[in-house]
Amino acid sequence: MRVLALIINRMLWLVPTLVGLMVITFTISHIIPADPIAFFAGENATPEQIEALRVRYGFDKPLYIQLMNYLIGVTNGDLGISIYTQRPISEDLLSRLPATMELTFMAVFFSTLVGIPLGVFAAIYRNSFLDHFLRILTVSGLAIASFWLAILFQLLFAMELQITPLQGRIDGWGPEKITGFFILDSLLVADWESLQSAFSHLILPTLTLAFPAMATIVRFTRAGVLDAINSNYVLYEQAMGLPSKVIIWKYVLRNALIGTVTQIGLIFGILIAGAVVVEAVFDWPGLGLYAVEAIMNSDYNAIMGFTLVTGAFFIIVNLIVDILHGIIDPRTQD
Amino acid sequence: MMAEELLSIENLHVSFSTENGVAEVLDGVNFSIKPGEIVGLVGESGCGKTTLARSILGILPKNSAQITDGSIIFNHQNILKMQEHDIARNIRGRLITFVPQDPFSSFNPVFTIGTQIMDLMKWKSSEKESHGFFGRARKSERDKHYQKVLKLLQTVQLPDVEGILRKYPHEVSGGQRQRLMIAMALLSEPRLIIADEPTTALDVTIQAQILKLLRQLARERNVAVLFTTHDLGAAYEICDRVTVMYAGQEVESATVDAFFGKPRHPYTKSLLGSLPSKSGKLEGIPGQIPALINPPSGCRFHPRCEAASTNCAEERPQVHWPSADHMIRCYYPRTYD
């Protein structure tokens, strides 16, 4: 019941949060001096033609009216039309969302899978060679710019060793579209060729995104494990002679994960922001690349749509994190 | 006399390396417990009670503490010479169990009480069968363990025992948690329970109940108890014998009656004198506990001792037995005629 109450509570908060997000994004994107209509109409358009387009897209009205119209549209599920692609924003976003989600989930999955055990080992063998090595690795992970890392990976693995593709999401047309997630779809229709291609294309962008995420997870897990190891309950468990593998991997780890899980929620947000850069380098047809193009073209509806979708995604991910948090740590439910 | 000891510690030296130098926290301690005996280990904070208790359990902090000399004979075996593997399997949590000082923080906060008790049962039960890596016990065995746990929780007078097993530690009271800790210490049918200030964190009214319970259960099962405390009243309540420590040295050990009635060592006398009495006069001990880095030579109490002479600073007095069950280490003990 507590979980249900939490979900309802967060869903109610979702609306004002997203409206606030919309207002801020709308304001910022309109403060930038740009004239998308003039750009769209082309060099040879007459002032009358430009004015007509302005009226057609509603840009002749005051800003607050434009904002109200947009928000009313959103409540009806209408995110407007991209002046650049001339297609509904919702269609554009839906066609690109799976690519970004696939990349983000792979990066989180990989960084969690590797980061948590490494964090535990760094804490158990603190100040050992392994710990120092991991410290260098994690500081690098947090300090190195992802676009630079992406280019280094491309140079090494794609150009020099030629074991991965340079860029793109897949060779050929990809598997029959069901969910839009290539890995999932190719598994569903048993298209092994597509699966292999999709997977090999995922490796470099995933590594690029996962590296800083893993660094965060290692550091938080290490700190959490150290905290737990020095606690009275671990002293008690040791005094009662429980095997150390049970103490570490059961009793300590669950306490340490409380902090790590919160971080993983935040990492989703960082990864979506990071995807903007990484997708540009790897020519990955996801939301990030779409957002970059939208900003370049001052495509207001597209910018707003991107913000709305990623904002909602981030809020939902953090709702899931809060639920997990409650499951891992029963004290938070009171 | 020695042959019947359950636990016999001889000449135990433990030092801690600190930033300011090496602290000799235990300086040649002799200490013993007979089967089924309840022994109080009393002394001020920092006198080495907890270090002694942890030495027996083998849970001294690995990085800083070092046992430099001495022996701990338990059940005719020197624990200090045993393989860690054997201690973990057969001694710690099996024949020697532990009741911690703070029942609030000694439970793991994110697992139910049932999970924690059943895990102890699984790994430490006297009728333990072989397990896989994470020790998944067979269902029949789990049921047997569960029944045993329920019975034990009733023995420590807990209400609604099945309900308590489903609760998280923060959902039960401090007194109940300490009752649970006592039950957990009895699970494996041990020979010795080490209770490290088990009532310090509890309300005074609950303290007495817990002490009575601990004594009664230990008596019924013929389990020896090492009870460390700085509360002389608590020691008087439940102990058969009391050993006093001062700054890492044991100074006197006697039956409760002799200890409170005819204390021989000047420190013991001062300690008893500092208890509140009906006359309303509170006498402290002049001076303060010495630092354990570069401590006083010889008997460490000599700078504060009214009876001290030059030889006290030169060499620590040998063990001396005024009667068969009364031990002191002092050149100038008080006498009673």
Side-chain angles (χ1 to χ4, degrees), chain A residues 232 241 245 250-251 255 334, chain B residues 92 105 108 119 124 133 170:
Chain A
N232 276 340
K245 66 191 179 208
K250 179 173 183 179
Y251 285 107
N255 281 280
D334 292 329
Chain B
R92 195 182 300 142
S105 60
N108 198 311
D119 254 2
K124 295 296 163 183
F133 182 76
H170 69 276

Side-chain angles (χ1 to χ4, degrees), chain B residues 10 51 120 127 273 286 294 314:
Chain B
E10 270 157 46
T51 301
L120 275 183
E127 59 240 49
N294 297 321
E314 279 159 15

Side-chain angles (χ1 to χ4, degrees), chain B residues 24 71 92 172 197 212 217 227 232 238 249 267 284 337:
Chain B
E24 271 200 76
S71 59
R92 195 182 300 142
V172 302
E197 308 222 14
K212 245 177 80 183
L217 292 173
F227 170 64
L232 289 169
I238 75 160
Q249 299 177 329
Y267 176 63
D337 298 315

Side-chain angles (χ1 to χ4, degrees), chain B residues 73-143:
Chain B
I73 315 280
F74 175 75
N75 223 4
H76 313 295
Q77 276 182 300
N78 187 350
I79 297 181
L80 298 181
K81 294 227 165 72
M82 281 176 74
Q83 296 285 324
E84 168 60 28
H85 173 77
D86 288 338
I87 298 177
R89 172 171 292 181
N90 300 320
I91 306 280
R92 195 182 300 142
R94 270 285 292 116
L95 294 176
I96 306 181
T97 59
F98 181 58
V99 177
Q101 172 169 2
D102 185 354
F104 295 89
S105 60
S106 294
F107 270 109
N108 198 311
V110 300
F111 288 90
T112 59
I113 289 163
T115 303
Q116 299 183 52
I117 294 189
M118 289 303 285
D119 254 2
L120 275 183
M121 198 68 197
K122 188 163 70 189
W123 292 99
K124 295 296 163 183
S125 164
S126 47
E127 59 240 49
K128 181 177 172 305
E129 293 168 26
S130 61
H131 301 300
F133 182 76
F134 273 104
R136 182 160 288 281
R138 266 192 251 119
K139 190 170 182 309
S140 62
E141 196 189 0
R142 278 209 304 276
D143 288 345

